[in-house]
Amino acid sequence: MAEVVKKISGFPELLPRDRKKENLLIHSINNTFKLFGFEEIEVRAVESISSLLAKGETSKEVYLLSRLQNPEVDLTSSKQLGLHFDLTIPFARYVLENCGKLNFPFRRSSIGKVWRGERPQEGRFREFLQADVDIITQDNGQSSQDVLPNSNDIEIVKTVGKALEEMQKLGLPKCQIHINNRKLLQSAYRIFGIKDYEETLRTIDKIDKIGSDEVLNVLIKNGESNESATKCIELANIKTDSVTILENSLREVFGGDYQKLEGVAELSEFLESGINSVVVDLKIARGLDYYTGNVFETFVDGFENYGSVASGGRYESLTASMQENSKVSYPGVGMSIGVTRLMALMLTNELFICNEESDTDVLVLVNDQNSYSDSQKVCDLLRNAGVSSFISPVCSKFGKQIDFAAKRNIKHVVFIGDNGLSVKNIVTGNQIDFSSDDIKSYDDFNKITSSLN
Amino acid sequence: MAEVVKKISGFPELLPRDRKKENLLIHSINNTFKLFGFEEIEVRAVESISSLLAKGETSKEVYLLSRLQNPEVDLTSSKQLGLHFDLTIPFARYVLENCGKLNFPFRRSSIGKVWRGERPQEGRFREFLQADVDIITQDNGQSSQDVLPNSNDIEIVKTVGKALEEMQKLGLPKCQIHINNRKLLQSAYRIFGIKDYEETLRTIDKIDKIGSDEVLNVLIKNGESNESATKCIELANIKTDSVTILENSLREVFGGDYQKLEGVAELSEFLESGINSVVVDLKIARGLDYYTGNVFETFVDGFENYGSVASGGRYESLTASMQENSKVSYPGVGMSIGVTRLMALMLTNELFICNEESDTDVLVLVNDQNSYSDSQKVCDLLRNAGVSSFISPVCSKFGKQIDFAAKRNIKHVVFIGDNGLSVKNIVTGNQIDFSSDDIKSYDDFNKITSSLN
């Protein structure tokens, strides 16, 4: 039965030293989300299948659940459960379920696992961690833009931009957030006379992969006119961080029809908001179909081919399919950072710049079998002062015990010497005696050990 | 389709204010685990079915996975996946998979979700959070006790005891850890002439539920002699935190056979180790059959009927069924804190004593629609100093904006007044002017606002 310990493709697991790095990323993201006033919630791993399939062509990605005692799957039952494949649909359901108890606009953050039952490719996972922020509100009849102004979209991009910027301290290169607007695309395609909006969107999305020429061919093969298709590609190739260039480029493409374009004001506001590393990029489309306004993708400088590491957009009717004839809607805007994807990128390319020191401050050495309880007292003393420590599991010469500390990347050992207690920095080899009265707090420990560096 | 937003029984979700409390619990547990020198790892949610069913009668509890595109379950395939129902089996598999890269004895902690496909009862969940610590080592032929002395079992209980003690700061009542030893039970039952060890263990486990008399009846019905069954119950009713009483009680039950008992030394060591709130309780059995030595259960003072909130034990051969004829074994000892169960207990009984203040420090008020960008500058200033804040989504009279802050439990509002910036404590109503130069760090903010309490 050796196969039970075989790695399962697409389900990454980390060794302790790499998990420590992932925890640093998660901690950093959480801090930024908190700094920006988001409230953290956690959603359950499962949703009803009707909820999961309510929107978008994501059916192929769902893992279904059944009980071992009764392993039947019933796709027609509302009780059929599946694992969520993103944190947005469960969030929409959570908001509907708890709408009476939430304060709108509700600023939520969630860092959690999602699952996709697809065949894994390189850089793709079947279980992965996402970090989401959303601002969602309750709308009793006004249009989304009035109820939730574009400043919220800017706030989301600002939050994720800051989170990514903070991650630079851990070694992530600079990132650039690319913005487009579905309303702009929709109005543009109307002006161009595009017949199949959805299909054209999907085709344009491949422009980086297959190139403009091939996209043109596909669009024409799909029944669009040469002129319309050419215009689509001209539009898709507009990319700028300047409002003036954006407007001039659009005027060039649309001429007198420029005034009929929607969404330009929203995009311009982003460029005027002073957020770093934001660029309007009119070929960004996003696969899932619930976005209705701005859409976002994010690329890592020097690793553009790795694909987007943080994506999202504005949605107006995400909860609609979960409601019964309701006049209340919940427009929102959100973004999702692909934490597992970032981890994979940073590990593979050895980008992390954090130190490898253990979170454990001290290994307490054991003099001999009979003095274990003395070592235990030393360990208790350190822990009471907030100094993380444990007793050496190796009861032999100090050298071997220090070897164990070195393998675990523990920087200090403490032992009972001739003059009472001693602490040794095993990297520098420096050591100093101290009295048990000297260590009442972590600061005391820091003061003593800083002299050993 | 109203059913898609119906709560799914057994899958708890929390509102932001309660999730904040859960995060405090998790943070507290994590800190203790770190203080005691454990390395945090995360295991994937899925295991192969052969791994999940390798030990114990847990088959009824497993959720199986299948892909929507091909919703077939194949129980005979090693590729059939299920969700893990604890964090111990995935850990055993993780250790086998990574044994060449880990430092033994390996001290791991994990806080993660587990799933059980059973019918939920009160206080039981189908998705819940566990916090585990284990110490596991590699054994090339020695017996477990030599390779991993009983001091490791004590360390595990000490760690969990400290974690629970720290949770008292958040409102959890005192807890008591009950200890028994499988070797003691096994040798005792041998002495008593018990025929069916496993069945007797399961029956004794029900003593708190159905009472000693009923347990006696069941044991006799199972074919045990009246004398053996009576002895089992006498043994099960021994409960003490004194080594002397333990030894005297055992001598009373066993007479001359006392010397043949195993595991007494291990139990005595616990009572002599000076850990608070530990009691030897010889009716503790634990359902799962992978424990081979000490077993642990934990009860909350005043809520004993709620059942154990932290359990575990020593295991010698957990990985054996996953290995192919290996001469290497991985004995270990571990405990698991039921975080979701503790949350449910503390929420239901309103035990939490943490404050309800938001993690967001400041709501920045908006004077009017045209001054939004000024408010944005104030918000940026605060965030740069590490003060978490966001801009009021309500653009109306200050009173209404302050109402929003109050609903979100945000203690302070900052606004642009006649004399520059002002900060107001909305609980006391006190306010003070300050200059943007005054706030460079979170400490600066603290100094200014502490005068408003």
mmCIF file of all heavy atoms in Angstrom, chain A residues 123-137:
data_model
loop_
_atom_site.group_PDB
_atom_site.id
_atom_site.type_symbol
_atom_site.label_atom_id
_atom_site.label_comp_id
_atom_site.label_asym_id
_atom_site.label_seq_id
_atom_site.Cartn_x
_atom_site.Cartn_y
_atom_site.Cartn_z
ATOM 1 N N GLY A 123 1.728 25.255 -12.322
ATOM 2 C CA GLY A 123 1.302 26.516 -11.725
ATOM 3 C C GLY A 123 -0.179 26.547 -11.362
ATOM 4 O O GLY A 123 -0.689 27.545 -10.890
ATOM 5 N N ARG A 124 -0.888 25.440 -11.637
ATOM 6 C CA ARG A 124 -2.311 25.328 -11.296
ATOM 7 C C ARG A 124 -2.449 24.337 -10.160
ATOM 8 O O ARG A 124 -1.720 23.361 -10.088
ATOM 9 C CB ARG A 124 -3.096 24.781 -12.496
ATOM 10 C CG ARG A 124 -3.288 25.785 -13.579
ATOM 11 C CD ARG A 124 -4.653 26.389 -13.429
ATOM 12 N NE ARG A 124 -4.895 27.358 -14.489
ATOM 13 C CZ ARG A 124 -5.950 28.140 -14.511
ATOM 14 N NH1 ARG A 124 -6.857 28.039 -13.552
ATOM 15 N NH2 ARG A 124 -6.120 29.007 -15.463
ATOM 16 N N PHE A 125 -3.413 24.547 -9.304
ATOM 17 C CA PHE A 125 -3.592 23.662 -8.174
ATOM 18 C C PHE A 125 -5.047 23.217 -8.067
ATOM 19 O O PHE A 125 -5.944 23.861 -8.569
ATOM 20 C CB PHE A 125 -3.152 24.366 -6.901
ATOM 21 C CG PHE A 125 -1.715 24.779 -6.929
ATOM 22 C CD1 PHE A 125 -1.361 26.082 -7.235
ATOM 23 C CD2 PHE A 125 -0.714 23.853 -6.697
ATOM 24 C CE1 PHE A 125 -0.019 26.458 -7.299
ATOM 25 C CE2 PHE A 125 0.613 24.216 -6.762
ATOM 26 C CZ PHE A 125 0.962 25.514 -7.054
ATOM 27 N N ARG A 126 -5.234 22.089 -7.394
ATOM 28 C CA ARG A 126 -6.594 21.614 -7.134
ATOM 29 C C ARG A 126 -7.044 22.027 -5.735
ATOM 30 O O ARG A 126 -8.223 22.054 -5.437
ATOM 31 C CB ARG A 126 -6.641 20.097 -7.340
ATOM 32 C CG ARG A 126 -6.375 19.750 -8.809
ATOM 33 C CD ARG A 126 -6.793 18.340 -9.146
ATOM 34 N NE ARG A 126 -5.804 17.368 -8.712
ATOM 35 C CZ ARG A 126 -5.920 16.062 -8.903
ATOM 36 N NH1 ARG A 126 -6.993 15.570 -9.521
ATOM 37 N NH2 ARG A 126 -4.993 15.230 -8.489
ATOM 38 N N GLU A 127 -6.088 22.291 -4.863
ATOM 39 C CA GLU A 127 -6.386 22.886 -3.558
ATOM 40 C C GLU A 127 -5.456 24.069 -3.406
ATOM 41 O O GLU A 127 -4.241 23.901 -3.540
ATOM 42 C CB GLU A 127 -6.138 21.874 -2.432
ATOM 43 C CG GLU A 127 -6.185 22.482 -1.035
ATOM 44 C CD GLU A 127 -6.063 21.420 0.077
ATOM 45 O OE1 GLU A 127 -6.971 20.600 0.231
ATOM 46 O OE2 GLU A 127 -5.030 21.445 0.784
ATOM 47 N N PHE A 128 -6.009 25.234 -3.176
ATOM 48 C CA PHE A 128 -5.123 26.389 -3.017
ATOM 49 C C PHE A 128 -5.751 27.454 -2.141
ATOM 50 O O PHE A 128 -6.937 27.459 -1.876
ATOM 51 C CB PHE A 128 -4.687 26.950 -4.377
ATOM 52 C CG PHE A 128 -5.799 27.282 -5.328
ATOM 53 C CD1 PHE A 128 -6.225 28.590 -5.481
ATOM 54 C CD2 PHE A 128 -6.423 26.298 -6.081
ATOM 55 C CE1 PHE A 128 -7.242 28.913 -6.373
ATOM 56 C CE2 PHE A 128 -7.443 26.602 -6.964
ATOM 57 C CZ PHE A 128 -7.862 27.915 -7.113
ATOM 58 N N LEU A 129 -4.871 28.341 -1.695
ATOM 59 C CA LEU A 129 -5.254 29.364 -0.726
ATOM 60 C C LEU A 129 -5.472 30.691 -1.442
ATOM 61 O O LEU A 129 -4.645 31.108 -2.249
ATOM 62 C CB LEU A 129 -4.110 29.510 0.294
ATOM 63 C CG LEU A 129 -4.380 30.282 1.563
ATOM 64 C CD1 LEU A 129 -5.453 29.587 2.394
ATOM 65 C CD2 LEU A 129 -3.100 30.409 2.377
ATOM 66 N N GLN A 130 -6.593 31.329 -1.125
ATOM 67 C CA GLN A 130 -6.871 32.646 -1.682
ATOM 68 C C GLN A 130 -7.072 33.653 -0.557
ATOM 69 O O GLN A 130 -7.534 33.293 0.525
ATOM 70 C CB GLN A 130 -8.137 32.599 -2.536
ATOM 71 C CG GLN A 130 -7.955 31.840 -3.838
ATOM 72 C CD GLN A 130 -9.087 32.098 -4.819
ATOM 73 O OE1 GLN A 130 -10.217 32.329 -4.401
ATOM 74 N NE2 GLN A 130 -8.785 32.074 -6.090
ATOM 75 N N ALA A 131 -6.738 34.886 -0.832
ATOM 76 C CA ALA A 131 -6.974 35.968 0.130
ATOM 77 C C ALA A 131 -7.841 37.023 -0.549
ATOM 78 O O ALA A 131 -7.403 37.650 -1.507
ATOM 79 C CB ALA A 131 -5.654 36.573 0.576
ATOM 80 N N ASP A 132 -9.069 37.148 -0.070
ATOM 81 C CA ASP A 132 -10.053 38.001 -0.737
ATOM 82 C C ASP A 132 -10.416 39.238 0.073
ATOM 83 O O ASP A 132 -10.510 39.169 1.297
ATOM 84 C CB ASP A 132 -11.351 37.211 -0.958
ATOM 85 C CG ASP A 132 -11.279 36.289 -2.165
ATOM 86 O OD1 ASP A 132 -10.168 35.804 -2.451
ATOM 87 O OD2 ASP A 132 -12.320 36.073 -2.816
ATOM 88 N N VAL A 133 -10.630 40.333 -0.608
ATOM 89 C CA VAL A 133 -11.322 41.478 -0.008
ATOM 90 C C VAL A 133 -12.484 41.871 -0.897
ATOM 91 O O VAL A 133 -12.379 41.834 -2.124
ATOM 92 C CB VAL A 133 -10.426 42.729 0.170
ATOM 93 C CG1 VAL A 133 -9.683 42.684 1.485
ATOM 94 C CG2 VAL A 133 -9.461 42.907 -0.983
ATOM 95 N N ASP A 134 -13.584 42.218 -0.285
ATOM 96 C CA ASP A 134 -14.775 42.670 -1.004
ATOM 97 C C ASP A 134 -15.429 43.806 -0.231
ATOM 98 O O ASP A 134 -15.363 43.837 0.998
ATOM 99 C CB ASP A 134 -15.811 41.549 -1.124
ATOM 100 C CG ASP A 134 -15.426 40.457 -2.095
ATOM 101 O OD1 ASP A 134 -14.627 39.575 -1.700
ATOM 102 O OD2 ASP A 134 -15.897 40.489 -3.239
ATOM 103 N N ILE A 135 -16.052 44.701 -0.970
ATOM 104 C CA ILE A 135 -16.988 45.652 -0.358
ATOM 105 C C ILE A 135 -18.330 45.413 -1.041
ATOM 106 O O ILE A 135 -18.435 45.456 -2.261
ATOM 107 C CB ILE A 135 -16.554 47.121 -0.564
ATOM 108 C CG1 ILE A 135 -15.139 47.344 -0.031
ATOM 109 C CG2 ILE A 135 -17.538 48.070 0.115
ATOM 110 C CD1 ILE A 135 -14.581 48.734 -0.314
ATOM 111 N N ILE A 136 -19.323 45.096 -0.249
ATOM 112 C CA ILE A 136 -20.630 44.766 -0.824
ATOM 113 C C ILE A 136 -21.678 45.605 -0.110
ATOM 114 O O ILE A 136 -21.537 45.928 1.067
ATOM 115 C CB ILE A 136 -20.916 43.246 -0.687
ATOM 116 C CG1 ILE A 136 -21.997 42.789 -1.674
ATOM 117 C CG2 ILE A 136 -21.271 42.870 0.737
ATOM 118 C CD1 ILE A 136 -22.079 41.270 -1.822
ATOM 119 N N THR A 137 -22.711 45.990 -0.833
ATOM 120 C CA THR A 137 -23.760 46.760 -0.173
ATOM 121 C C THR A 137 -25.141 46.266 -0.573
ATOM 122 O O THR A 137 -25.281 45.369 -1.403
ATOM 123 C CB THR A 137 -23.598 48.273 -0.438
ATOM 124 O OG1 THR A 137 -24.328 48.992 0.563
ATOM 125 C CG2 THR A 137 -24.087 48.668 -1.817
#
